[in-house]
Amino acid sequence: VIKTLQAIEDANVVIFVVDATAGISDHDVQLGSFIQDAGRALVICINKWDAASTEQREEVKREIGRKLAFLDFATRLPISAREGRGLPALIAAVNAAYAAAMVKLPTPRLTRALQLAVERQQPPRAGMNRPKLRYAHQGGSNPPIVVIHGTSLSKVPDAYRRYLEHFFADAFKLRGTPLRIQFKTGVNPYADAPGRR
C-alpha cells in the first residue's frame, strides 16, 4: 500500500486498474480518494472485460458510477491486459490526461469563461450581499488551478465551487485531470481609513 501511495505521488498520470469480474472494493474507493486528494491526472481501466459476463460488465459500470462518482473527470476504458485489447485507446487517454493536466490557460479566456459561468448561475447570496467574482487567472498546473479574484469569496459555498470546477473543465475540454478553484478576496484599501465607520 505504501509503495502504491508513493507511486501515485510520483506520477503525472495514474492508471487505476479495476477488475470487471470482482467489482469495486472499499480499498478501490480509498485509493481513488487518495488519487483525487493528490490532484493526479487519471485514467480508469476496467480490466478482464473479455472474461466478464454481461451482468458483471453492467454491474461494474454501475458501481464505478456510484462508488467512484468523485472521479467523474477520468476517462473510463474497458481493456483486456491478457489479450492486449484496448491498449492503444489507453495510451491515447493517458496522453490526453497529461496534456489536460499541463495545459496553459490564458487569463482573458479564463475571465470570459468566469463571466459566462456567473451569467448562467450566480453565486447564492450570503446575508445582504452576493459574492462578486471579478476575474480569473491560472495559478498552477498538474492539476490546473484557477484563481478567482473578487469580494466576499469566503462566503461562496462548496456546491458553487464544484459548479465552477465543472464549468471550467467543460469550457476548456479538460478530460482526465481534476481542476481546482482557489478564491482570493481583494483587500479594501479604504477599510481602515480615518473617519470611516
Side-chain angles (χ1 to χ4, degrees), residues 16-193:
F16 186 19
V17 182
V18 297
D19 187 333
T21 62
I24 306 302
S25 68
D26 291 342
H27 181 67
D28 291 333
V29 175
Q30 289 172 344
L31 276 177
S33 180
F34 187 82
I35 293 165
Q36 183 193 39
D37 291 345
R40 292 296 168 257
L42 175 65
V43 179
I44 299 174
C45 287
I46 312 168
N47 193 25
K48 300 184 183 175
W49 195 251
D50 54 328
S53 67
T54 303
E55 292 79 16
Q56 286 173 320
R57 291 177 181 185
E58 291 305 314
E59 179 61 21
V60 78
K61 284 196 277 189
R62 274 193 301 274
E63 283 190 338
I64 288 172
R66 192 176 72 248
K67 293 182 178 180
L68 300 177
F70 57 92
L71 300 177
D72 61 350
F73 61 87
T75 299
R76 301 166 187 176
L77 296 171
I79 67 163
S80 170
R82 188 179 65 183
E83 302 292 330
R85 289 193 195 128
L87 300 185
L90 169 60
I91 298 302
V94 167
N95 289 335
Y98 179 78
M102 299 299 186
V103 70
K104 300 294 181 219
L105 303 170
T107 297
R109 288 186 60 206
L110 281 171
T111 299
R112 279 196 298 275
L114 174 63
Q115 290 166 348
L116 183 56
V118 172
E119 281 175 23
R120 289 191 183 171
Q121 182 178 328
Q122 290 193 7
R125 286 186 177 279
M128 295 295 291
N129 298 323
R130 187 185 302 276
K132 289 190 173 44
L133 288 65
R134 301 201 185 282
Y135 71 95
H137 67 87
Q138 187 168 3
S141 298
N142 197 20
I145 298 169
V146 176
V147 181
I148 296 174
H149 294 260
T151 56
S152 302
L153 299 184
S154 62
K155 306 267 183 6
V156 175
D158 286 342
Y160 195 78
R161 180 192 297 267
R162 287 191 297 275
Y163 159 72
L164 291 173
E165 288 171 350
H166 284 100
F167 189 92
F168 280 110
D170 290 344
F172 291 94
K173 298 179 174 51
L174 301 180
R175 189 75 185 139
T177 185
L179 182 140
R180 303 270 165 87
I181 298 287
Q182 290 180 357
F183 293 119
K184 284 211 171 177
T185 297
V187 177
N188 182 350
Y190 303 106
D192 297 324

